[in-house]
Amino acid sequence: MLIFGFHIKTSSHLHHCHSSTMVRIPEVKLSSGGKPMPRIGVGTAVFPFASSEAMRATILRSIELGYRHFDTAAIYQSEEPLGAAIADALRAGAIRSRDELFITSKLWCSDAHPHLVLPALQKTLRNLQLEYLDLYLVHWPVSTRPGKYELPPAKEDLLPIDMSAVWRAMEECHALGLTRSIGVSNFSSKKLETLLSIAKIPPAVNQGNKVEVNPLWQQQKLREFCVAKGIQVCAYSPLGAKGTHWGQNWVMDCGVLEDIAAAKGKTLAQICLRWVYEQGDCVLVKSFNEERMVENLDILDWELSEEEKHEIGQIPQRKGFPGLDFVSDDAPYKSTAELSSSSSSMARMPEVRLSSGGKPMPRIGMGTAVFPFASSEAMRAAILRSIELGYRHFDTAALYQSEEPLGAAIADALRAGAIRSRDELFITSKLWCSDAHPHLVLPALQKTLRNLQLEYLDLYLVHWPVSTRPGKYVLPPAKEDLLPIDMSAVWRAMEECHALGLTRSIGVSNFSSKKLETLLSIAKIPPAVNQVEVNPLWQQQKLREFCVAKGIQVCAYSPLGAKGTHWGQNWVMDCGVLKDIAAAKGKTLAQICLRWVYEQGDCVLVKSFNEERMVENLDILDWELSEEEKHKIGQIPQRKGFPGLDFVSDDAPYKSTAELWDGEI
């Protein structure tokens, strides 16, 4: 059937009302009773927040198309145009009564004080020209200084919330008949559990991040909790809220969703909305474009296949709006982990099992080598933030001076609730050359564990196939300090560390195929990992093939060339082939490099303390390089960024880099 030039499928979902063809939207009963909530609603948050005649006209049109559930908030400045549009719809006969609509609004943080809740709701009702709401929500588990309606709020305005007293005021609004149901928004499972323990009227809805729900932030744990407690989840940002203060492009740029949409003959938006709908959630859509308004309703008479749902279930997870606006060192919530009382904005990270067993290794890790080597509070803070963003694999070394700040950041993360246990992390450190003597291996590992405040490592590596004079942690080492390594005895000491339970796996770094072969011939426990330089300009094909054949996992350092370090070069970031591929694909050059390494089957270590790049470096999991792009990268002339000249000398065990690498460079 065509409505104003747009196709709507005729089915049992359509009925006639006042000569206007409308989609009948399924409803769900709330635990509080009252009117059922339509499963598809219209959001009215337009950023920057503003009231407009265009919004009023669009809401009226959406009512004519069949929408009956509208979501507003004091902060959005959309209550007045929504109220005017409802009055217009009544005058035009698009609806017979306000009772045909389901209207939700929200208490802003500046009114989240017990004495301000009722006046705030009364003001909302005046704005809407209504006698009651169907649902009133606490917008965030946050209070701010009264009188200011702004997002983001000023950090100095963030205040503790007296949730018990605020909820009693919400219950009073319900008792007065000013709202038929009450609920919350942006509440974690833990905060809901606390609220349920003190509430006389339990929250009917958790509209968190209205809970933010989309295929890239699926909220499985929170949904299971809400279902068990009879709380209806209402999803906002189902398409990622691209273009808003709280949104990202990630959902609409997701290759998995693009492929499913193309195969199914649907839009990517429809795939997202149908997926949310099939989870049992209510879903809030927001478009003032009539074609898309119609499209957003066309999700009711078809289904996703089990295979499609499985593919969506495998999409790496990342939260679009972690709530940084509500955290500050001087505020009640010091971190997003505290705000969410859970794991915050974690990405679901693919892992690989090591030959030694134990915990799987996350495929993307965070490196901590900053040159010149130094410990810093900035590093500690950056590592904590990376944990909140979803990183779980961290690489350090005795040489880097980063063990102590990494250990402190892990302790911070545990205190903040960003992780529940150290066991959620995969921690690697390395034996420096000055400790690569049989009698020094165990004391070196014990010192590393003290620095990290840990009882065990997940992986301990021999940093180089080199020994130097004990007691000096320097790069480059003095040439006169270079000594032969007794690899057989050093490896026996590494195996002893493993037997003592001080490290779950052992491995090596900067070993050639020939050196690995020699080690394998004498090892009782074979090395689980070889951490080496890998990037599109140093592809390590021969070494990788050897490692795969022997069950040794390659872990790539310097995937971007380590520009700016003692061991790095600009060559990777200046490569024209990579620049062209990045431009054509709409990715950064760094993402092209990281994805290429990832597609080789390697684990990859990234290092950035810039939050935007930390997030960017995780955004390599849901798209692929084409065969043509991989072929072009395969043709790039090869050159090793760090040949290891620091470890060769006429008077040293290795006289040349050819000896150090056994002719493999």
Side-chain angles (χ1 to χ4, degrees):
M1 179 175 293
L2 291 177
I3 303 178
F4 294 89
F6 305 116
H7 183 68
I8 296 183
K9 297 185 188 300
T10 54
S11 72
S12 60
H13 300 299
L14 301 180
H15 71 90
H16 287 275
C17 179
H18 308 294
S19 303
S20 174
T21 305
M22 300 188 306
V23 176
R24 182 185 296 127
I25 297 171
E27 298 171 325
V28 61
K29 285 193 175 292
L30 302 182
S31 59
S32 53
K35 190 187 306 171
M37 175 189 275
R39 292 279 309 279
I40 304 174
V42 174
T44 61
V46 178
F47 197 81
F49 300 128
S51 176
S52 71
E53 283 300 306
M55 182 184 291
R56 173 178 177 173
T58 301
I59 293 169
L60 174 59
R61 184 68 193 111
S62 68
I63 293 173
E64 293 170 347
L65 288 170
Y67 288 94
R68 291 294 179 266
H69 173 183
F70 294 89
D71 180 88
T72 183
I75 185 73
Y76 300 162
Q77 298 181 40
S78 60
E79 290 176 336
E80 289 190 356
L82 173 56
I86 293 169
D88 293 339
L90 286 164
R91 280 192 295 271
I95 51 174
R96 294 187 182 89
S97 162
R98 172 266 180 266
D99 295 340
E100 294 180 27
L101 302 181
F102 190 102
I103 308 298
T104 300
S105 194
K106 305 180 206 72
L107 178 80
W108 185 239
C109 307
S110 56
D111 290 321
H113 304 273
H115 67 291
L116 295 180
V117 174
L118 177 57
L121 176 51
Q122 290 169 327
K123 182 180 178 183
T124 281
L125 291 172
R126 288 195 298 274
N127 289 341
L128 288 163
Q129 305 174 49
L130 299 180
E131 294 181 359
Y132 71 91
L133 291 181
D134 296 286
L135 178 62
Y136 196 40
L137 305 177
V138 178
H139 208 152
W140 282 87
V142 174
S143 288
T144 59
R145 202 171 308 282
K148 296 181 179 180
Y149 293 83
E150 54 189 18
L151 182 70
K155 297 294 186 183
E156 62 270 20
D157 288 341
L158 296 170
L159 302 172
I161 186 169
D162 183 349
M163 196 59 226
S164 178
V166 167
W167 193 252
R168 284 198 301 274
M170 293 286 285
E171 291 174 329
E172 178 63 18
C173 292
H174 180 271
L176 291 169
L178 300 179
T179 180
R180 300 293 167 83
S181 297
I182 52 177
V184 295
S185 181
N186 302 296
F187 271 50
S188 66
S189 305
K190 185 174 178 181
K191 286 185 171 61
L192 284 170
E193 198 156 31
T194 302
L195 177 56
L196 287 167
S197 71
I198 55 99
K200 292 180 181 175
I201 302 173
V205 167
N206 186 21
Q207 190 179 331
N209 300 18
K210 278 168 209 164
V211 239
E212 179 184 356
V213 180
N214 56 58
L216 271 73
W217 191 244
Q218 298 181 12
Q219 296 273 37
Q220 193 59 38
K221 178 188 169 186
L222 178 62
R223 181 180 296 106
E224 289 169 359
F225 178 90
C226 288
V227 168
K229 301 297 183 181
I231 301 169
Q232 177 63 44
V233 171
C234 191
Y236 80 69
S237 298
L239 311 181
K242 178 177 176 178
T244 67
H245 170 71
W246 56 91
Q248 302 286 353
N249 298 357
W250 303 330
V251 175
M252 299 305 286
D253 291 343
C254 175
V256 173
L257 299 173
E258 287 176 349
D259 291 345
I260 293 172
K264 213 162 185 78
K266 302 291 182 184
T267 66
L268 187 150
Q270 288 173 318
I271 298 299
C272 292
L273 298 177
R274 180 67 202 187
W275 179 85
V276 174
Y277 181 84
E278 290 189 14
Q279 306 312 299
D281 303 347
C282 292
V283 58
L284 295 173
V285 298
K286 200 283 293 173
S287 178
F288 292 169
N289 172 292
E290 183 166 331
E291 183 174 0
R292 285 196 288 272
M293 280 196 272
V294 173
E295 238 173 39
N296 290 341
L297 289 177
D298 187 16
I299 64 166
L300 298 172
D301 61 354
W302 54 274
E303 295 180 353
L304 294 165
S305 69
E306 291 303 316
E307 182 182 355
E308 290 161 344
K309 285 185 279 192
H310 176 75
E311 288 176 10
I312 293 172
Q314 299 305 303
I315 294 173
Q317 297 295 281
R318 54 199 309 197
K319 186 169 175 55
F321 186 42
L324 288 169
D325 295 336
F326 302 105
V327 304
S328 167
D329 289 342
D330 300 319
Y333 302 117
K334 314 296 184 198
S335 68
T336 55
E338 286 187 24
L339 176 64
S340 67
S341 308
S342 65
S343 54
S344 189
S345 48
M346 297 195 333
R348 184 187 294 144
M349 190 73 67
E351 299 172 324
V352 61
R353 291 201 172 276
L354 302 181
S355 60
S356 53
K359 189 187 305 171
M361 175 189 275
R363 291 281 308 279
I364 303 175
M366 173 72 75
T368 61
V370 178
F371 196 80
F373 300 125
S375 174
S376 72
E377 282 301 305
M379 180 184 292
R380 174 178 175 173
I383 292 169
L384 175 59
R385 184 68 191 117
S386 70
I387 292 172
E388 292 171 347
L389 289 169
Y391 287 89
R392 292 296 179 264
H393 173 183
F394 293 89
D395 181 86
T396 183
L399 177 70
Y400 301 162
Q401 297 181 41
S402 60
E403 290 175 336
E404 288 190 358
L406 173 56
I410 293 169
D412 293 340
L414 286 164
R415 279 191 295 271
I419 51 172
R420 294 183 182 85
S421 162
R422 173 266 180 265
D423 295 339
E424 293 180 27
L425 303 179
F426 190 102
I427 308 297
T428 300
S429 195
K430 307 182 202 72
L431 178 80
W432 185 237
C433 306
S434 56
D435 290 321
H437 304 272
H439 67 291
L440 295 179
V441 174
L442 177 57
L445 175 52
Q446 290 169 327
K447 182 180 179 183
T448 280
L449 291 172
R450 287 195 298 274
N451 289 340
L452 288 163
Q453 306 173 51
L454 299 180
E455 295 180 358
Y456 71 91
L457 291 181
D458 295 286
L459 178 63
Y460 196 41
L461 305 177
V462 178
H463 208 151
W464 283 87
V466 174
S467 288
T468 60
R469 201 172 308 283
K472 297 181 179 179
Y473 294 84
V474 292
L475 182 72
K479 297 295 186 181
E480 62 270 19
D481 288 342
L482 296 170
L483 303 171
I485 187 169
D486 183 350
M487 196 61 225
S488 177
V490 166
W491 193 252
R492 283 198 301 275
M494 294 286 285
E495 291 174 328
E496 177 63 17
C497 292
H498 181 271
L500 290 170
L502 300 179
T503 181
R504 300 291 167 86
S505 297
I506 52 178
V508 296
S509 182
N510 301 297
F511 272 49
S512 66
S513 304
K514 184 175 179 181
K515 286 184 173 61
L516 284 171
E517 198 155 31
T518 301
L519 178 56
L520 287 167
S521 71
I522 55 98
K524 291 180 181 176
I525 301 173
V529 168
N530 187 20
Q531 188 184 116
V532 291
E533 179 185 355
V534 181
N535 56 59
L537 271 73
W538 190 244
Q539 299 182 11
Q540 296 271 37
Q541 194 60 37
K542 178 187 172 186
L543 178 64
R544 181 180 296 104
E545 289 171 359
F546 179 89
C547 288
V548 168
K550 301 297 183 180
I552 299 170
Q553 177 64 44
V554 171
C555 191
Y557 71 75
S558 298
L560 310 181
K563 178 178 176 178
T565 67
H566 170 70
W567 57 92
Q569 302 286 352
N570 298 357
W571 302 331
V572 175
M573 299 305 284
D574 291 343
C575 175
V577 173
L578 298 173
K579 286 179 178 178
D580 290 345
I581 293 172
K585 211 162 186 77
K587 302 291 180 182
T588 66
L589 188 149
Q591 288 174 318
I592 298 300
C593 293
L594 297 177
R595 180 69 202 186
W596 178 86
V597 174
Y598 180 84
E599 289 190 14
Q600 308 313 298
D602 303 346
C603 292
V604 57
L605 296 173
V606 298
K607 202 287 293 173
S608 178
F609 293 166
N610 172 291
E611 182 168 333
E612 185 176 354
R613 286 195 287 274
M614 280 196 264
V615 171
E616 219 172 60
N617 291 340
L618 290 178
D619 188 17
I620 65 165
L621 298 172
D622 61 353
W623 54 274
E624 296 179 354
L625 294 165
S626 69
E627 291 303 317
E628 182 183 355
E629 290 162 344
K630 286 185 280 192
H631 176 74
K632 287 179 181 176
I633 293 172
Q635 300 306 303
I636 294 173
Q638 297 294 284
R639 55 200 304 198
K640 184 167 176 56
F642 187 43
L645 289 168
D646 295 338
F647 301 105
V648 304
S649 166
D650 289 342
D651 301 318
Y654 301 117
K655 313 297 184 193
S656 66
T657 55
E659 285 187 22
L660 177 63
W661 299 106
D662 301 302
E664 293 179 19
I665 66 168

